């Protein structure tokens, strides 16, 4: 069980940097810090950078939130649903 938790936390941590590299703002992601100072973006940056502070709930902020729902949350929920279906599909007793 501890190995699963560690693996989950590793994926959550790694996915944050990967998702940030798909955004269109900032200075890029330092994937290899502290061993290197170069920052990276992926060639495709479909996600907009969220405004920080009051702007988060503005019209622009809500538009950006909608793009995050489409690019991050819906695919994540689909993956979770598939994993749950596979897990419970295997554990059903056969009659």
């Amino acid at each position: 069980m501890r190995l699963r938790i560690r693996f989950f936390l590793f994926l959550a941590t790694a996915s944050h940097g990967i998702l940030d590299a798909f955004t269109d703002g900032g200075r890029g992601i330092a994937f290899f810090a502290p061993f290197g100072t170069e920052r990276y973006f992926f060639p495709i940056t479909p996600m907009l950078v969220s405004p920080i502070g009051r702007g988060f709930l503005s019209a622009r902020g809500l538009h950006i939130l909608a793009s995050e729902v489409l690019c991050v949350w819906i695919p994540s929920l689909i993956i979770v649903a598939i994993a749950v279906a596979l897990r419970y599909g295997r554990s059903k007793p056969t009659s």
Side-chain angles (χ1 to χ4, degrees):
M1 185 63 153
R2 286 185 182 187
L3 184 61
R4 285 185 186 179
I5 292 171
R6 288 179 185 162
F7 183 68
F8 173 78
L9 292 175
F10 169 78
L11 286 179
T13 304
S15 69
H16 185 95
I18 292 168
L19 289 172
D20 278 351
F22 280 111
T23 62
D24 66 346
R27 298 182 306 162
I29 305 305
F31 282 121
F32 303 108
F35 305 108
T37 59
E38 191 168 350
R39 293 180 169 265
Y40 301 91
F41 283 109
F42 287 132
I44 299 170
T45 55
M47 293 190 317
L48 305 171
V49 174
S50 293
I52 299 174
R54 290 185 200 165
F56 186 73
L57 294 177
S58 67
R60 179 176 174 265
L62 294 175
H63 173 73
I64 292 169
L65 185 61
S67 77
E68 289 178 1
V69 166
L70 290 174
C71 292
V72 178
W73 292 106
I74 290 175
S76 297
L77 290 174
I78 290 170
I79 290 169
V80 168
I82 291 170
V84 168
L86 289 173
R87 179 178 179 149
Y88 288 110
R90 270 193 253 143
S91 64
K92 284 185 178 178
T94 57
S95 3

